[in-house]
Amino acid sequence: MKFLIRLPFAIFLMVSTALLVLIGTWIEAKTESHGQAAVFIYSHPLFILLLIGFFINILGSALSRYPYKKQHIPFLITHLGLLMIIAGVMIKSFFGVQGHLFLIEGTASNELVLPESYALKIYSKEQVEIIPLKKSLLGNYYFSKEIPFQFLKLSSHGEGHLQAWLNSHSVQLKGFPKIPLIDLPVPLTLKSGYTVDLFANHSNTLEEDLQTISKQQIGKPFLFIHQSPEKKTTLLLSDAQGITSSLIFDAQNLISYNAYDEGFQGYTLQADLPFWNLKIEEKMQKELQEAEQHASLAPPLKFISQICKKQGEDFASTTTLLLKNWAREKSWLYDQWQLPLDWTLLSKDETKALYWMATLFQEDLLPHLETIKWPLLHTLKELPQEQVHLNWMAQLYGIRKELPEIIEPIDPITSSKMLSAFLRLYQIHWSSIPTDHLPPESMFSFESPLTYAIHEANPPQKLEKADPILWLQKENQTISLLYDRQGNQLKVPLTDGKHCLKFQQMSLPLPFVIRLHRARNIKFPGSEQTYSYECDLSLIESNQTIPVELKMNQVFETKDGYRLYLAGIGSLDNYGSKSVQLVINRDPAKYWLTYPGAVLVAFGIILLFWKRW
Amino acid sequence: MLNKTLLLFLLLLLGCENPVQKNQREVQIPGRLTPLLYRIQIPEEWEITLNEDPLSLQDTMNPLCTIKIGQEKPIKINIHNFMNEITPEAQVARWKNQMANSSFTLSNCAGAGFAGLKYENYSEEEGVIGYALRLLPKLKNQVVAEMGAPITIKATGNSEWLLENRDAIDELYQSFELIEPILLSS
């Protein structure tokens, strides 16, 4: 035991400490991480043992000189000072406080966030419980009180992101079971009874994927979910005509999400996609039914109505089908209509006009009219391209009485073309139906659970940037929680629907509330270079408010020993709103141990050298 | 030698100037629904009239308070809040329409949790210095009802006088804040 108070032990301690500090400095320089140096050296049990060794050695060495003589005074003063400094350091490391506080102008807080600390936050509807996760001297993690979960492990680093719609294996849509990607495409029956084919893909070639699917799905509606490598998800809904609507979601920059029961029942992303043509079809049928019953129909529709009555067909659905199929062909006149048409229902001249429209018409109209020497060609040439067809038809209709007689029996193709020409003449076409004022029920609403995708990863060299994953288990459910360094992630709901969890930094309540009024970034006159950072604070404690102006490199100390430093000022928006990061610490032993100890050491050394008893 | 040193030291001390302490007073302003909502610092000599009539306060056309600077060509500063969401840009567009002079200065301004635009127009007859503000969107869900209401602080009066009092009006704006702080918690 005597060895502990002898000089060789003191030399051993000093050499060991010097060596460890040397290694610590090297680690810190190599990794640019104080965290690494702290883990391997400064917070290591060996280093703490050295500190205890120093204390024992100094105390023992001082006591060993008993009974003391006058010449021992400088020696005793120096040793007492050293003991006070070591005790002060120990008390600071166990009972001191160091943390930061983030404030936006106009806000106040008393929550001091402790860096590199871990805590499990358990939310229930009644309360929020914060349970610190601590590390023993041997390096094991444990919760400071009992938790209703089994602690599995703490992975040193993890990565994660919010995910919805699509994960690596399946499509996730609320109201549907998980759909494996390998099963795609699958028909998806939506609530309103419509069926769309579901496609999904992870790639960086959205356009190409879409082209491939569009070719495959001609005339068939589909929903395509695409995720880019940057985790941006595109939802694209296409109807049978190829009319598409789409939405893009960036899970890293969410604009809105749904929280069910404040998050206890989970979160979802919602996409409201209009699906025009199915609703146009419904709308059109309804309007045609009403028009047939209550209003006078346009001549071509009246003609179809009469035909339908003769054939025993439903006017509204027949007309809608005709228009829809015609739109799908994307031709000016339609030649696929099979229903027999009785042209005697129209006047002879009208039928003649429609017949010649159908017979003379060609898609590339102007060159054709030039070949047949159309007498009114010059008037058509002046028109914009999209008006040529209609105006030519109007010209033909205007001279219907002068037109030659129909020279042969009308075949079904010409008959179909005549009907479409008739409709064109009255500008009745699928594309002419306005879609901009459809009622809101024409939206299809898709929802997808919003969850975190977390996986273990290699820790970064700078340990301060490591985000550990906390693994817990409850019954058969394994829960993984990524460290929420900023405290701004969503709560993770448990399957019971009654609890949510978060794994984040510890926070301590300060005995006062700090309010930030304004922060200033003062620049050199005529320059954009910052001269100083300043902020106006109020420290509010019970009924007392203390105004504080805190500047860069200036410290404010409260009467109970909390020291406030202005660590940084940030900009929040283009208007110039500012946020402030304060560093706050408290060393409870500073004034009665550390500082007096340092004075005693200095005084003792002076006495040792200058005073000879 | 000692005397010279003392004299030099005294001269050095004379060179130190204490900042001029202005006589400011804090005024607490009632809201339309809240008994006391905002506070400002104004010079002692400025006259302030608080609108404490509940009926009058129901109409957002009526200000929460009116401050008068000077007697001869007084400057009038009105503080309004609005119960519906109005952007600073929309407020400024309204002010532009009220002014005959089409030349103006527009700048961003922010502080105490509010952010928006500062509009200055100095025409020959009358000038305007107006601040159109609204609470930062990220603080909006942290406050109840009227605390999140958009605000305008508008000074009108003789342009020359306005320019003379420009800094003082800016100090008033700088001191404007909610009485109750917005509490942040993780």
Side-chain angles (χ1 to χ4, degrees), chain A residues 108 121 515 517-518 575, chain B residues 89 174 177-178 182 184 186:
Chain A
K121 218 169 177 177
R515 177 175 184 176
H517 300 276
R518 279 177 157 80
Y575 293 111
Chain B
E89 288 76 9
Q174 293 286 345
E177 65 179 0
L178 289 163
I182 301 164
L184 290 182
S186 55

Side-chain angles (χ1 to χ4, degrees), chain A residues 103-366:
Chain A
L103 290 168
I104 296 169
E105 287 175 311
T107 64
S109 175
N110 73 334
E111 274 188 34
L112 185 68
V113 177
L114 307 180
E116 309 312 316
S117 62
Y118 305 133
L120 178 67
K121 218 169 177 177
I122 306 176
Y123 297 82
S124 67
K125 294 205 178 155
E126 296 77 33
Q127 60 169 8
V128 181
E129 205 178 353
I130 299 170
I131 301 156
L133 179 68
K134 292 186 171 173
K135 193 177 183 181
S136 71
L137 276 176
L138 297 171
N140 300 321
Y141 285 97
Y142 64 96
F143 281 102
S144 62
K145 69 188 250 199
E146 205 174 312
I147 57 163
F149 307 97
Q150 190 193 337
F151 171 63
L152 295 177
K153 64 171 179 172
L154 186 79
S155 307
S156 57
H157 182 58
E159 286 170 358
H161 59 86
L162 278 169
Q163 69 174 12
W165 309 113
L166 196 59
N167 64 26
S168 48
H169 311 293
S170 60
V171 174
Q172 294 180 306
L173 290 174
K174 200 176 173 211
F176 295 92
K178 277 185 185 175
I179 306 162
L181 291 181
I182 48 165
D183 290 352
L184 296 179
V186 292
L188 204 66
T189 305
L190 306 176
K191 270 182 191 168
S192 41
Y194 296 114
T195 301
V196 294
D197 289 333
L198 174 69
F199 292 80
N201 199 11
H202 295 271
S203 75
N204 53 6
T205 52
L206 172 64
E207 296 291 322
E208 287 171 26
D209 293 355
L210 194 57
Q211 269 182 12
T212 314
I213 296 167
S214 298
K215 275 182 195 164
Q216 196 178 324
Q217 286 294 111
I218 290 172
K220 286 161 77 183
F222 65 90
L223 172 68
F224 178 42
I225 304 176
H226 173 270
Q227 198 173 70
S228 71
E230 297 81 34
K231 307 291 177 206
K232 280 189 183 165
T233 310
T234 305
L235 261 78
L236 190 139
L237 185 64
S238 172
D239 67 11
Q241 313 306 328
I243 303 172
T244 56
S245 52
S246 62
L247 274 176
I248 298 172
F249 292 92
D250 183 356
Q252 308 312 313
N253 189 18
L254 281 184
I255 294 168
S256 68
Y257 59 84
N258 299 327
Y260 285 92
D261 193 16
E262 293 181 15
F264 287 99
Q265 299 288 339
Y267 302 88
T268 63
L269 284 189
Q270 187 172 330
D272 297 319
L273 292 171
F275 195 58
W276 301 117
N277 93 319
L278 294 178
K279 289 292 171 186
I280 289 170
E281 201 170 319
E282 273 179 12
K283 186 176 177 261
M284 182 177 273
Q285 281 200 28
K286 207 174 159 190
E287 282 184 2
L288 286 170
Q289 270 165 4
E290 280 175 11
E292 194 185 23
Q293 286 163 14
H294 307 294
S296 60
L297 292 168
L301 296 177
K302 196 177 169 186
F303 173 67
I304 299 172
S305 166
Q306 287 168 334
I307 300 284
C308 287
K309 268 181 195 152
K310 268 191 165 182
Q311 306 285 332
E313 300 283 345
D314 176 59
F315 161 70
S317 57
T318 305
T319 313
T320 309
L321 187 66
L322 162 70
L323 292 172
K324 203 172 120 182
N325 288 341
W326 181 12
R328 205 175 283 173
E329 288 295 313
K330 294 185 172 134
S331 60
W332 179 255
L333 296 183
Y334 182 52
D335 59 7
Q336 301 289 315
W337 191 243
Q338 300 298 322
L339 203 69
L341 300 167
D342 180 2
W343 291 106
T344 58
L345 292 170
L346 296 186
S347 74
K348 201 179 160 193
D349 291 339
E350 262 184 327
T351 313
K352 258 199 309 185
L354 296 175
Y355 174 80
W356 287 112
M357 281 178 209
T359 309
L360 295 176
F361 178 79
Q362 286 195 7
E363 287 288 339
D364 199 4
L365 192 62
L366 279 178

Side-chain angles (χ1 to χ4, degrees), chain A residues 102-111 121 123 487 504 507 513 515-518 540 572-577, chain B residues 39 89 108-113 115-117 136 138-139 173-186:
Chain A
F102 174 82
L103 290 168
I104 296 169
E105 287 175 311
T107 64
S109 175
N110 73 334
E111 274 188 34
K121 218 169 177 177
Y123 297 82
Q504 62 177 67
S507 59
V513 172
R515 177 175 184 176
L516 172 67
H517 300 276
R518 279 177 157 80
I540 308 158
L572 293 172
D573 56 29
N574 292 334
Y575 293 111
S577 307
Chain B
R39 67 179 169 208
E89 288 76 9
N108 291 334
C109 58
L117 297 167
L136 299 182
K138 62 165 60 182
L139 301 180
Y173 154 70
Q174 293 286 345
S175 70
F176 175 87
E177 65 179 0
L178 289 163
I179 295 172
E180 284 294 317
I182 301 164
L183 281 171
L184 290 182
S185 69
S186 55

